[in-house]
Amino acid sequence: DQQVKQNSPSLSVQEGRISILNCDYTNSMFDYFLWYKKYPAEGPTFLISISSIKDKNEDGRFTVFLNKSAKHLSLHIVPSQPGDSAVYFCAATWAGSYQLTFGKGTKLSVIP
Amino acid sequence: DTAVSQTPKYLVTQMGNDKSIKCEQNLGHDTMYWYKQDSKKFLKIMFSYNNKELIINETVPNRFSPKSPDKAHLNLHINSLELGDSAVYFCASRAGGRGTEAFFGQGTRLTVV
């Protein structure tokens, strides 16, 4: 039973355009969400997070939006760069939990 | 200086063997994890330790046994390896259990032949 779902296994975007990666969750207890980026043969690295008390968090070219009523979050990358090509994982947890649940990931390819 | 380090990075072994993967973190974190990424690329939690105490133990065969000698180390021992154990295993650490990000090691690619 997947509690965190990333329904698009892959996404191709032209350099300079916006990349939008989506994530849905089913567990209403989740109140903290994270995005990780993973290059081949490396471990995932933390990118950006958002708490459920917010609906948006921005860090440079990366913005995460949270829609609690829809149990949906998205990661926007603007402008996309070839170095952004990687697998992006959505993860979720809640206060008091040691669980950190990941989605299956979306492979982003940014075409020069 | 690597924050979370795992050894070895690659491990090729025969069915039936016993092997260990070591993990060390120098971040001073209380919580450590083992995740498995299988051929479907799904990152699935296996175990979590907090201050050397096992707090998460997902449905994992008994052949897998984590050991935490101290807060900075969490090793994974696997007995009687099977073909289906082939995967990438990631160690991670986190400050406490709430509202913080986890830091991952580089992964150990285990291939059972």
Side-chain angles (χ1 to χ4, degrees), chain B residues 36-60:
Chain B
K36 178 181 180 181
Q37 187 180 34
D38 59 21
S39 57
K40 294 180 182 175
K41 307 301 181 187
F42 198 18
L43 261 176
K44 193 170 181 183
I45 192 168
M46 300 174 69
F47 303 103
S48 178
Y49 271 73
N50 181 253
N51 283 318
K52 302 195 299 176
E53 183 182 338
L54 181 66
I55 52 170
I56 296 175
N57 186 355
E58 294 294 321
T59 308
V60 175

Side-chain angles (χ1 to χ4, degrees), chain B residues 46-93:
Chain B
M46 300 174 69
F47 303 103
S48 178
Y49 271 73
N50 181 253
N51 283 318
K52 302 195 299 176
E53 183 182 338
L54 181 66
I55 52 170
I56 296 175
N57 186 355
E58 294 294 321
T59 308
V60 175
N62 290 339
R63 300 180 294 103
F64 289 79
S65 54
K67 285 194 172 45
S68 181
D70 55 57
K71 241 173 57 165
H73 295 83
L74 180 61
N75 304 322
L76 184 65
H77 189 76
I78 315 170
N79 289 328
S80 304
L81 277 154
E82 300 178 357
L83 292 176
D85 297 332
S86 296
V88 181
Y89 293 85
F90 289 100
C91 175
S93 76

Side-chain angles (χ1 to χ4, degrees), chain A residues 36 41 43-44 97-100 102, chain B residues 33 35 42 55 58 97 102 104-105:
Chain A
Y36 281 79
S97 170
Y98 292 94
Q99 280 281 3
L100 186 57
F102 284 80
Chain B
Y33 300 83
Y35 280 84
F42 198 18
I55 52 170
E58 294 294 321
F104 281 80

Side-chain angles (χ1 to χ4, degrees), chain A residues 2 4 32 34 36 38 41-46 49 89 93-105, chain B residues 9-10 31 33 35 37 41-43 45 48 50 55-56 58 90 94 96-102 104-106:
Chain A
Q2 279 188 67
V4 178
Y32 190 71
L34 308 93
Y36 281 79
K38 185 184 177 305
E42 293 184 12
T45 54
F46 171 72
S49 62
F89 288 96
T93 185
W94 67 90
S97 170
Y98 292 94
Q99 280 281 3
L100 186 57
T101 304
F102 284 80
K104 280 190 174 183
Chain B
K9 185 167 183 178
Y10 299 98
T31 307
Y33 300 83
Y35 280 84
Q37 187 180 34
K41 307 301 181 187
F42 198 18
L43 261 176
I45 192 168
S48 178
N50 181 253
I55 52 170
I56 296 175
E58 294 294 321
F90 289 100
R94 197 170 170 211
R98 54 191 74 185
T100 58
E101 67 267 28
F104 281 80
Q106 64 182 0

Side-chain angles (χ1 to χ4, degrees), chain B residues 11-16 81-87 110-113:
Chain B
L11 183 54
V12 181
T13 187
Q14 290 189 321
M15 279 176 57
L81 277 154
E82 300 178 357
L83 292 176
D85 297 332
S86 296
L110 171 65
T111 304
V112 183
V113 297

